[in-house]
Amino acid sequence: MSFIVGDEIEAYAAAHTTPEEPWMAALADDTRASMAAARMMTGHLEGRFLEMLVFALQPQLVLEIGTFTGYGALSLASALPPGGRVVTCDVDEAAVAVARRHAAASPYGDRIEFRLGPALDTIATIDGPFDLVFIDADKPSYPRYFEAVLPKLSDRGVVAIDNVLWSGRVAQPPSDDDDESTSTLRGFNHALANDARVVCVMTTVRDGVTLVRRRT
C-alpha cells in the first residue's frame, strides 16, 4: 500500500503533528518488528486524526471494525469522555494479542473491549447507538459493514472509513485486472457519494478516509 501524498509531504505532516506518546511509539515499533503487514497499522498521523474526531464528537460508544495491533483503538480511546468505551473487533488472533498487550501497558486499556470474531457477528450483538464507527478491515466487506452499522448510528454519529483511495487505484478506469478490493471500493465510493441517506466527504489523509453522517 502506498499513500496518496508523496513521501516527503507525508513525512512533513507527521513531523508537524504532536509526537506519539511512549506507549504508542512502543506499539508502533513492536508492530513493525513482528508483523509482516505492518503498513496496515493506523499509525501516527491518522491516529491523531482519529483522536481529534473523538475529542470533537465526545462519543460514548465507538466501534472499530479491524483491530490489527490496536493503534487505532488506542488512538480512539485516548480522547474518550468519562464513561466512553471502544469496542474493537478482528479475526486475527495473533494481531489482537499484540493489541491487548499494548492496551494493558497504556493508560487506556480499561476503555477498550476486544472482540475476536467476524465483524458482522459482533455488530449484531451490540444494540448501539454508535457515536463513531471506524471501518478499517477487509475491503470487499465494506458495503456490508456500512449497511450493518448505519441503522445503529446515533443522531450525530459519524462513520470514518479507511483506505477509500486504495493507493489511487480506485481513480483509474475499471480494468479486467482489478482485484476484488479495488472493484468493491470503487463501487462503494460511488454509491456513498450518491446515497440520499447520508452526507460524506472523502479526505486524502494517509490512504484516504471518508467521513459519513446521516442526512438531516
Side-chain angles (χ1 to χ4, degrees):
M1 180 181 69
S2 60
F3 302 147
I4 295 306
V5 301
D7 291 344
E8 182 180 359
I9 299 300
E10 186 80 14
Y12 184 88
H16 292 82
T17 296
T18 302
E20 294 172 308
E21 286 79 7
W23 53 87
M24 301 299 289
L27 169 55
D29 289 344
D30 190 3
T31 300
R32 294 185 192 103
S34 63
M35 305 299 291
R39 284 176 69 85
M40 288 173 52
M41 178 173 60
T42 298
H44 172 212
L45 190 63
E46 190 174 2
R48 287 295 188 196
F49 180 80
L50 294 175
E51 177 190 340
M52 198 67 72
L53 281 179
V54 172
F55 180 83
L57 291 169
Q58 292 291 283
Q60 284 296 305
L61 179 57
V62 178
L63 173 67
E64 180 186 44
I65 301 174
T67 308
F68 193 46
T69 56
Y71 199 107
L74 271 179
S75 299
L76 293 161
S78 65
L80 284 171
R85 64 188 177 109
V86 174
V87 178
T88 182
C89 58
D90 207 305
V91 295
D92 186 336
E93 189 170 356
V96 172
V98 175
R100 288 180 183 275
R101 184 171 71 252
H102 284 279
S106 80
Y108 309 118
D110 61 344
R111 303 179 183 183
I112 304 172
E113 179 184 340
F114 294 95
R115 301 278 190 96
L116 190 63
L120 292 174
D121 292 349
T122 297
I123 296 166
T125 67
I126 305 173
D127 292 333
F130 300 123
D131 302 306
L132 176 61
V133 179
F134 181 44
I135 301 177
D136 184 18
D138 58 303
K139 312 313 166 192
S141 296
Y142 270 25
R144 292 191 292 276
Y145 296 151
F146 181 74
E147 291 300 332
V149 300
L150 187 61
K152 298 185 177 186
L153 201 62
S154 65
D155 289 344
R156 295 188 59 81
V158 170
V159 182
I161 308 163
D162 202 12
N163 302 119
V164 291
L165 289 172
W166 205 230
S167 300
R169 291 192 289 275
V170 293
Q172 303 303 314
S175 164
D176 291 340
D177 295 329
D178 287 340
D179 59 18
E180 185 180 8
S181 294
T182 302
S183 297
T184 299
L185 284 170
R186 187 184 288 117
F188 178 65
N189 291 339
H190 179 78
L192 267 185
N194 293 279
D195 191 332
R197 300 172 298 173
V198 301
V199 175
C200 70
V201 57
M202 181 180 287
T203 76
T204 54
V205 174
R206 205 166 181 256
D207 192 34
V209 179
T210 292
L211 302 179
V212 188
R213 65 169 174 84
R214 276 207 192 94
R215 188 179 294 274
T216 56

